RNA sequence: GCCCCCAUGGUGUAGCGGCCUAGCACGCCACCCUUUCAAGGUGGAGAUCAGGGGUUCGAAUCCCCUUGGGGGCACCA
């Protein structure tokens, strides 16, 4: 096969919002296409009308777009093999079904769901492989029943023959014996195909070269292989990707908290970090490299380095990775990201403090200190920069310093600051260091006292930088307020 | 119950018969830097390579069994 003939696809069903596992599958397919110069196709598998979820398609596409995963063919962009919504391809599946029935490889079945359920129950009790008992296989039922309703169509799985072998790129040869494959439904009574049929027919017509999908599909691949054969199609190359599991080692579901991809965006994770983290769940570059820019990812991605065992999604490592990307990002860009989270809508934020230059200054202070860019994260570190008046909820005495000492230190600081003209780091630092010496206080104590008074917190960005951003007037005002509190406390005791 | 897949520290992984008394990263601990918090740097704890049999001069690496985990078994995908 020519490299440019490589055509891979992501085929989600709009029955919910995609979680990180789904998107990781999309990512691997996309990376493989990018690496090989092939095409990445998005196909929406909306053959289950009853389970379709409002807004799911939009969410799927938005998830891909957020990560920067673009598609060569699919919704919005179109392509030569469309339509890319299975619900618009019903005639194609019907054609395949007709062919199979004509060949004797499929038949109409009249068995009721109730009957099938009790049959399965009985089989399980007897320890037999569960599956349709083929009652209708040779009955020669017609398409519609007496009341004119459509009947389901089942595939006539060969009764005897060698085991079906899936030659998987990741797992090697996987054999399944024919007797454990039952006569599965390929066309539902509502006229829609089942996944098995639609998937096979579309992958063939869309000339998909490699089917990379989650491992949960491995058990049904023999059915697909049987369909390819019956329809006279050459099967694609299969690669079943390891699953991503929740911390309880079970398949990802709503139970695992934030699972849909876009929730991570909303929580303050950067798409670059998420993409980098996701690719490491099941793939590795070498024995040490983990932070890998996208261009290198595309250049080096290979199917041979995809692992076999399932991975557990570890949020703490994602946070670390996110911090790496935050720190390597230009301040302006990071500021844009942060503004996107609308932190300024916090109710206490002073609207006079929202210009871009001020936000940029704040970002410079927190860039080394945050692991997420959400409003909560930024707020918790910088709320004292964003409000006019502080609401002290902390002891204003630094550890090891008494109230009266703190108060007199603050008094000295006020007069020092009021007498100096310049208010920038290069003047602030030496003069306050000098003051500490004069007062015979350790910098730890003096700076600690200032920090508490000016920020109301004992964990802040570097003091002088922070003071400059707060601004001379606000700093002095806050020092006065803090002093008043200290004096009041002193007098009542 | 039946079928299939998987198995290296808590987590993500490297390893594809000798380089392994098992490397890297996250997390954890300590120290350094330092006005606090981070970031950064250095060091440390943590794996009888699930267990047991083989094969081999030699196995985390190959084979078998056991155990554990996961997935699948719908007119869902």
């Amino acid at each position: 096969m020519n490299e440019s003939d490589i055509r891979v696809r992501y085929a989600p069903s709009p029955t919910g919002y995609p979680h990180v596992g789904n998107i990781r599958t999309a990512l691997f397919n996309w990376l493989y296409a990018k690496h090989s110069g092939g095409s990445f196709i998005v196909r929406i598998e909306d053959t289950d009308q009853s389970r379709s979820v409002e807004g799911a398609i939009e969410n799927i596409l938005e998830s891909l777009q957020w990560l920067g995963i673009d598609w060569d063919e699919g919704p919005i962009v179109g392509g030569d093999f469309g339509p890319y919504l299975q619900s618009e391809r019903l005639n194609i599946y019907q054609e395949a079904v007709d062919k199979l029935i004509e060949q004797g490889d499929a038949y109409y079945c009249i068995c009721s769901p109730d009957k099938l359920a009790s049959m399965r129950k009985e089989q399980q009790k007897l320890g037999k492989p569960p599956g349709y008992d083929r009652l209708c296989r040779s009955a020669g039922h017609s398409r519609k029943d007496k009341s004119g309703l459509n009947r389901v169509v089942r595939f006539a799985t060969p009764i005897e023959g060698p085991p079906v072998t899936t030659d998987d790129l990741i797992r090697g040869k996987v054999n399944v014996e024919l007797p454990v494959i039952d006569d599965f439904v390929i066309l539902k009574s509502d006229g829609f195909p089942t996944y098995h049929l639609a998937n096979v027919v579309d992958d063939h017509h869309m000339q998909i070269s490699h089917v990379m999908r989650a491992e949960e599909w491995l058990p049904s691949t023999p059915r697909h292989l049987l369909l390819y054969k019956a329809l006279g199609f050459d099967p694609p190359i299969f690669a079943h990707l390891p699953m991503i599991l929740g911390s309880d080692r079970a398949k990802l579901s709503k139970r695992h908290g934030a699972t849909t991809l876009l929730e991570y965006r909303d929580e303050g994770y950067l798409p670059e970090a998420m993409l980098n983290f996701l690719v490491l769940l099941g793939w590795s570059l070498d024995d040490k490299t983990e932070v890998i820019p996208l261009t290198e990812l595309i250049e080096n991605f290979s199917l041979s380095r995809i692992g076999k065992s399932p991975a557990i999604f570890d949020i703490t490592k994602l946070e670390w990775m996110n911090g790496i990307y935050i720190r390597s990002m230009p301040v302006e860009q990071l500021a844009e990201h942060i503004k996107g989270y609308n932190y300024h809508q916090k109710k206490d934020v002073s609207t006079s403090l929202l210009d871009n230059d001020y936000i940029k200054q704040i970002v410079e202070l927190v860039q080394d200190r945050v692991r997420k860019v959400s409003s909560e994260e930024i707020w918790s570190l910088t709320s004292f920069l964003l409000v006019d008046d502080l609401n002290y909820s902390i002891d204003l005495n630094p550890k090891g310093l008494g109230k009266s000492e703190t108060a007199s230190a603050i008094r000295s600081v006020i007069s020092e600051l009021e007498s100096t003209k310049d208010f920038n780091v290069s003047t602030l630092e030496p003069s306050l260091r000098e003051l500490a010496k004069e007062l015979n206080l350790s910098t730890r104590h003096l700076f600690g006292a200032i920090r508490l008074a000016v920020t109301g917190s004992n964990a802040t960005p570097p003091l002088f930088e922070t003071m400059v951003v707060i601004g001379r007037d606000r700093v002095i005002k806050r020092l006065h307020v803090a002093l008043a509190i200290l004096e009041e406390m002193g007098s009542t005791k």
Side-chain angles (χ1 to χ4, degrees), chain A residues 300-419:
Chain A
N300 294 296
F301 188 77
S302 76
L303 266 28
S304 62
R305 291 196 66 85
I306 296 176
K308 298 177 179 188
S309 47
I312 290 166
F313 189 85
D314 177 22
I315 190 90
T316 59
K317 187 152 183 174
L318 204 214
E319 277 187 20
W320 163 77
M321 180 77 74
N322 207 47
I324 297 278
Y325 277 87
I326 286 174
R327 273 170 259 129
S328 67
M329 185 172 270
V331 199
E332 292 77 9
Q333 204 181 332
L334 189 56
E336 283 306 310
H337 265 289
I338 288 171
K339 273 195 284 183
Y341 285 88
N342 295 328
Y343 76 90
H344 55 276
Q345 286 176 1
K346 274 270 186 196
K347 54 182 180 303
D348 297 332
V349 173
S350 167
T351 48
S352 63
L353 300 173
L354 291 173
D355 69 277
N356 287 347
D357 188 56
Y358 189 70
I359 290 168
K360 198 183 138 195
Q361 289 183 65
I362 291 175
V363 170
E364 277 172 338
L365 287 181
V366 298
Q367 186 162 24
D368 272 1
R369 276 158 261 273
V370 293
R371 293 193 148 204
K372 297 190 240 174
V373 294
S374 65
S375 59
E376 287 307 318
E377 185 88 355
I378 304 298
W379 176 258
S380 70
L381 253 70
T382 62
S383 57
F384 57 82
L385 293 167
L386 296 164
V387 298
D388 281 331
D389 298 311
L390 249 33
N391 218 334
Y392 297 103
S393 56
I394 193 169
D395 182 4
L396 290 175
N397 300 289
K399 225 173 223 137
L401 206 63
K403 286 180 178 57
S404 57
E405 291 170 291
T406 305
S408 75
I410 297 286
R411 240 174 258 121
S412 307
V413 171
I414 290 172
S415 64
E416 173 72 25
L417 295 183
E418 279 174 338
S419 65

Side-chain angles (χ1 to χ4, degrees), chain A residues 8-12 18-34 40-42 60 63-65 67 69-71 212-214 241 244 261 275 278 301:
Chain A
V8 293
R9 101 274 125 116
Y10 173 52
H19 55 60
V20 292
N22 299 138
I23 295 297
R24 201 277 319 259
T25 296
L27 175 60
F28 278 17
N29 275 282
W30 180 75
L31 283 173
Y32 187 57
K34 288 285 167 196
F40 176 65
I41 292 122
V42 172
I60 289 165
S63 297
L64 295 174
Q65 285 162 340
L67 287 183
I69 297 177
D70 55 352
W71 52 99
M212 281 181 255
R213 72 222 311 189
L241 275 18
I244 295 179
L261 188 79
L275 190 150
L278 243 28
F301 188 77

Side-chain angles (χ1 to χ4, degrees), chain A residues 187-214:
Chain A
L187 193 71
K188 299 181 265 186
S189 56
D190 62 2
F192 278 70
T194 59
Y195 169 84
H196 304 300
L197 207 233
N199 195 260
V200 165
V201 168
D202 285 347
D203 282 343
H204 174 260
H205 286 312
M206 294 180 179
Q207 295 178 20
I208 300 302
S209 62
H210 295 65
V211 169
M212 281 181 255
R213 72 222 311 189

Side-chain angles (χ1 to χ4, degrees), chain A residues 12 29 62 74 114 124 221-222 247 407:
Chain A
N29 275 282
E62 195 178 346
D114 284 355
Q124 206 166 88
T221 306
S247 49

Side-chain angles (χ1 to χ4, degrees), chain A residues 115-171:
Chain A
K115 186 194 159 231
L116 295 171
S118 61
M119 177 196 68
R120 270 189 290 270
K121 221 172 165 184
E122 186 67 18
Q123 286 164 334
Q124 206 166 88
K125 224 168 75 185
L126 294 171
K128 287 185 174 169
Y132 179 57
D133 62 9
R134 293 175 169 143
L135 201 66
C136 296
R137 178 149 169 162
S138 48
H141 294 299
S142 59
R143 176 170 179 171
K144 292 179 190 295
D145 66 16
K146 285 181 205 128
S147 49
L149 290 171
N150 284 322
R151 288 163 169 162
V152 306
V153 177
R154 287 182 182 276
F155 180 70
T157 301
I159 309 284
E160 287 181 328
V164 182
T165 302
T166 303
D167 199 351
D168 190 275
L169 224 46
I170 294 170
R171 280 149 228 286

Side-chain angles (χ1 to χ4, degrees), chain A residues 70-309:
Chain A
D70 55 352
W71 52 99
D72 301 295
E73 296 170 30
I76 303 169
V77 301
D80 295 340
F81 299 86
Y84 293 89
L85 258 64
Q86 289 187 327
S87 58
E88 295 173 7
R89 301 169 64 82
L90 263 28
N91 57 324
I92 302 174
Y93 311 124
Q94 186 61 55
E95 221 169 275
V97 168
D98 291 344
K99 179 177 150 95
L100 289 172
I101 287 177
E102 198 171 312
Q103 290 173 184
D105 286 320
Y107 59 91
Y108 293 104
C109 173
I110 63 168
C111 297
S112 72
D114 284 355
K115 186 194 159 231
L116 295 171
S118 61
M119 177 196 68
R120 270 189 290 270
K121 221 172 165 184
E122 186 67 18
Q123 286 164 334
Q124 206 166 88
K125 224 168 75 185
L126 294 171
K128 287 185 174 169
Y132 179 57
D133 62 9
R134 293 175 169 143
L135 201 66
C136 296
R137 178 149 169 162
S138 48
H141 294 299
S142 59
R143 176 170 179 171
K144 292 179 190 295
D145 66 16
K146 285 181 205 128
S147 49
L149 290 171
N150 284 322
R151 288 163 169 162
V152 306
V153 177
R154 287 182 182 276
F155 180 70
T157 301
I159 309 284
E160 287 181 328
V164 182
T165 302
T166 303
D167 199 351
D168 190 275
L169 224 46
I170 294 170
R171 280 149 228 286
K173 292 194 193 316
V174 178
N175 297 314
V176 172
E177 301 287 341
L178 282 175
V180 301
I181 308 172
D182 73 343
D183 288 2
F184 52 98
V185 173
I186 56 175
L187 193 71
K188 299 181 265 186
S189 56
D190 62 2
F192 278 70
T194 59
Y195 169 84
H196 304 300
L197 207 233
N199 195 260
V200 165
V201 168
D202 285 347
D203 282 343
H204 174 260
H205 286 312
M206 294 180 179
Q207 295 178 20
I208 300 302
S209 62
H210 295 65
V211 169
M212 281 181 255
R213 72 222 311 189
E215 195 198 328
E216 56 186 316
W217 297 109
L218 189 55
S220 57
T221 306
R223 296 173 171 201
H224 305 160
L225 253 11
L226 255 17
L227 279 172
Y228 277 106
K229 194 175 172 199
L231 289 165
F233 301 158
D234 284 333
I237 294 167
F238 288 99
H240 286 92
L241 275 18
M243 311 262 300
I244 295 179
L245 308 175
S247 49
D248 59 354
R249 302 190 163 272
K251 203 171 155 180
L252 245 24
S253 72
K254 306 100 231 141
R255 293 182 295 107
H256 296 96
T259 52
T260 76
L261 188 79
L262 262 16
E263 285 176 75
Y264 289 95
R265 175 194 62 187
D266 299 342
E267 281 179 19
Y269 293 95
L270 300 173
E272 300 89 332
M274 179 55 93
L275 190 150
N276 192 155
F277 175 72
L278 243 28
V279 78
L280 258 19
L281 259 32
W283 179 86
S284 61
L285 176 59
D286 55 30
D287 59 344
K288 51 176 87 69
T289 317
E290 301 213 281
V291 179
I292 313 167
L294 184 58
T295 51
E296 281 178 47
L297 230 33
I298 290 171
E299 194 183 325
N300 294 296
F301 188 77
S302 76
L303 266 28
S304 62
R305 291 196 66 85
I306 296 176
K308 298 177 179 188
S309 47

